[in-house]
Amino acid sequence: MEGDYVFPELYVKGEKGDVCANVDLENKSFELGWGDLCKVIYEEGWGRVVSPEGRALKTFLVTRGERGVYVREGSELRLVEVSGREVYLLAKECEAVEEGSRIAHVTSAKGESRWVRAGVRGVIAHIAWIPGKPEKYIYVIAEKGELLTKR
C-alpha cells in the first residue's frame, strides 16, 4: 500500500475532451496528452463504463499517478459493495488483488467489525462512491484488466 493518496483519473474511448490518453499494450504503458481515450469526471464516469450487471460498457483507462489499468469493452467485472458506519478502503485503484485479499474494513451501526475481501483475482479498475448514510462504495475489479505504467 502507498502513503499519500493520489486521486485517480478516468479516460474513456469515444468521449471528447481536452486531455486524452494513448495506450501501448505491447509495452504495457500509457501516455497522456493525445490518444483515443479522453478524460471524463471520475465520480460521474463509472456509470458510463460499468453496467449494473458487471460488464464494461466501453473501453476505459483509470490512472493513479504513474500506474494505470486498461479494461476492454465487454470485459466481465466483479462489483463488490462496501458499506457501513465507518468504511476504511485498503486497496486502491490500479492495484492487483487476489481472491482472498482484504480490500476494505467496515464497522457497522451496531459496532461490529468485518473485513471485505475481493472475491476474485484481478485489478481494481475503479472505486465508485455512492453518497448517503451509511457510507457506500463499489469496488470494480477487472479479472482481465491490464496493469500499465506511465511513459
Side-chain angles (χ1 to χ4, degrees):
M1 303 292 158
E2 299 173 17
D4 293 333
Y5 183 73
V6 176
F7 200 79
E9 295 180 337
L10 174 61
Y11 298 85
V12 181
K13 189 169 190 165
E15 297 288 329
K16 303 263 188 260
D18 295 335
V19 180
C20 296
N22 183 53
V23 170
D24 179 352
L25 292 175
E26 187 174 312
N27 293 309
K28 301 267 187 220
S29 65
F30 67 93
E31 183 177 6
L32 301 179
W34 67 282
D36 62 347
L37 298 149
C38 292
K39 187 175 178 179
V40 299
I41 297 170
Y42 185 83
E43 295 87 345
E44 299 170 2
W46 90 287
R48 292 182 189 177
V49 297
V50 178
S51 76
E53 299 80 32
R55 190 164 296 282
L57 298 171
K58 295 182 176 186
T59 297
F60 67 95
L61 169 72
V62 170
T63 65
R64 194 166 62 87
E66 300 294 311
R67 301 181 74 183
V69 59
Y70 180 76
V71 178
R72 289 183 172 90
E73 180 179 345
S75 296
E76 289 187 37
L77 306 168
R78 174 70 174 258
L79 307 180
V80 180
E81 183 178 316
V82 179
S83 66
R85 185 182 70 203
E86 294 178 10
V87 175
Y88 302 95
L89 303 178
L90 303 173
K92 309 287 189 284
E93 299 87 346
C94 307
E95 290 182 8
V97 292
E98 297 295 324
E99 188 172 331
S101 296
R102 293 176 176 176
I103 59 173
H105 184 265
V106 175
T107 303
S108 72
K110 294 180 180 179
E112 297 167 334
S113 177
R114 68 180 177 91
W115 295 103
V116 178
R117 297 182 188 274
V120 294
R121 180 181 184 170
V123 181
I124 298 173
H126 198 287
I127 302 172
W129 173 61
I130 312 299
K133 291 289 179 189
E135 281 190 82
K136 183 175 176 181
Y137 298 86
I138 307 290
Y139 272 89
V140 177
I141 302 173
E143 293 180 66
K144 296 186 179 178
E146 300 192 50
L147 281 174
L148 309 174
T149 56
K150 188 175 182 181
R151 267 191 283 199

